[in-house]
Amino acid sequence: MCATCGCGGETAGLITIPHTHGPGEDHDHAHHDHGPHGHDHADHEHGVDHVHLPVTETLSLEQKVLAKNDSLAQENREWLRERGILAFNMTSSPGAGKTTLLVRTIGELGVGPIAVIEGDQETLLDAERIMATGCKVAQINTGAGCHLDASMTRRALDLLAPEPGSLLFIENVGNLVCPALFDLGESGKVVVISVTEGTDKPLKYPHMFSVATLVLINKIDLLPYVDFDPDRFAELARSVNPGVRILEISASTGAGLARWYEWLSAQRVPVP
């Protein structure tokens, strides 16, 4: 369980490999995981006094959860390293344009195999967009959970089986809070922010920006219509993460994407 927000669990997350059936084709599906079960209040009315754990016990639980996640993440990192797989944890607020960016990147990058792990609370919608490109994809549905963790990622990796030497994108649940705390075993975190959000996001969500390897300012084609100052945003982002690389892009028009592709290509490592 994530003690930060109370979500998740060791067996949380429904992992699906989306696929299509030809005419007349059908087969049984094996369910690899079961989604989280909810808790209702049928046995008592709201307003009943609840007993709250002391703050010190809550912090202890969170530390244990994060320590276990970090250990699993290190195992993931070794698993990926042994296969020469470069993995980026793609994070953002909801609607910043991560999936549109990935669809365009898969079609245009043209360097080596690419695989994607999609994270959403519900639906296969984003996984189906990725699958339409011909790219290997696994969908993790977190139910009530607001982030992916290392355990979910490993189970998705085992099902997805990305090719050695792949570039792997892990599209996290849209959220700038909990994903900052949970290492998935990735090579780096990419934070996607859109110009329709506030210039002051780095100050409001410093944990996420402090762990970013790269920040992408998306939807710059909308700059004439919104009150967003890229220079001030960069100044604030570097106040919490000095030296972080920041690129301005538009996943819709393609503006700035050449520099994103150059950055990705520069991160590739040879298969051991």
Side-chain angles (χ1 to χ4, degrees):
M1 184 184 72
C2 167
T4 303
C5 63
C7 67
E10 190 169 278
T11 60
L14 175 63
I15 301 173
T16 306
I17 302 293
H19 58 280
T20 58
H21 292 162
E25 292 180 348
D26 196 9
H27 59 84
D28 294 332
H29 291 74
H31 294 279
H32 304 280
D33 298 280
H34 295 281
H37 298 277
H39 161 72
D40 60 37
H41 292 262
D43 56 345
H44 67 264
E45 298 295 332
H46 282 283
V48 173
D49 290 339
H50 290 73
V51 177
H52 296 279
L53 291 174
V55 172
T56 52
E57 293 187 25
T58 301
L59 288 175
S60 176
L61 173 59
E62 184 171 49
Q63 288 167 353
K64 290 179 181 177
V65 169
L66 292 176
K68 182 174 183 178
N69 183 80
D70 287 348
S71 176
L72 293 173
Q74 187 55 38
E75 293 178 11
N76 288 349
R77 202 176 336 273
E78 184 64 19
W79 190 95
L80 293 166
R81 189 197 65 76
E82 290 173 351
R83 291 159 179 77
I85 296 172
L86 184 66
F88 289 105
N89 184 353
M90 307 294 290
T91 66
S92 77
S93 302
K98 295 193 303 298
T99 308
T100 298
L101 173 65
L102 293 184
V103 167
R104 188 145 189 165
T105 299
I106 292 164
E108 296 180 350
L109 185 60
V111 178
I114 298 176
V116 176
I117 295 175
E118 280 287 340
D120 281 303
Q121 289 193 321
E122 300 290 348
T123 83
L124 297 175
L125 294 173
D126 286 352
E128 289 169 350
R129 291 177 64 188
I130 296 296
M131 186 176 67
T133 69
C135 179
K136 296 182 71 172
V137 58
Q139 174 77 56
I140 301 175
N141 287 129
T142 59
C146 60
H147 63 90
L148 303 181
D149 63 27
S151 176
M152 297 175 190
T153 302
R154 180 50 185 271
R155 285 180 284 145
L157 285 172
D158 288 340
L159 286 174
L160 183 63
E163 296 177 45
S166 292
L167 176 61
L168 174 69
F169 294 110
I170 307 170
E171 185 176 352
N172 217 315
V173 178
N175 177 5
L176 289 177
V177 184
C178 296
L181 302 177
F182 283 80
D183 184 3
L184 307 181
E186 70 269 13
S187 307
K189 283 185 174 65
V190 176
V191 179
V192 182
I193 190 87
S194 72
V195 301
T196 56
E197 302 172 51
T199 299
D200 54 4
K201 275 286 176 66
L203 298 184
K204 292 181 174 180
Y205 302 95
H207 296 295
M208 178 57 76
F209 287 92
S210 69
V211 296
T213 305
L214 175 71
V215 175
L216 297 175
I217 304 175
N218 192 24
K219 306 184 185 181
I220 59 171
D221 51 305
L222 299 180
L223 277 175
Y225 313 105
V226 297
D227 182 19
F228 185 93
D229 183 341
D231 293 336
R232 178 60 176 162
F233 173 87
E235 179 183 346
L236 296 178
R238 290 183 174 122
S239 74
V240 298
N241 188 352
V244 67
R245 184 78 183 274
I246 299 172
L247 300 177
E248 298 180 16
I249 65 167
S250 170
S252 296
T253 68
L257 290 183
R259 286 180 294 170
W260 158 240
Y261 300 150
E262 289 172 1
W263 185 88
L264 284 172
S265 297
Q267 313 305 309
R268 301 299 290 263
V269 292
V271 179

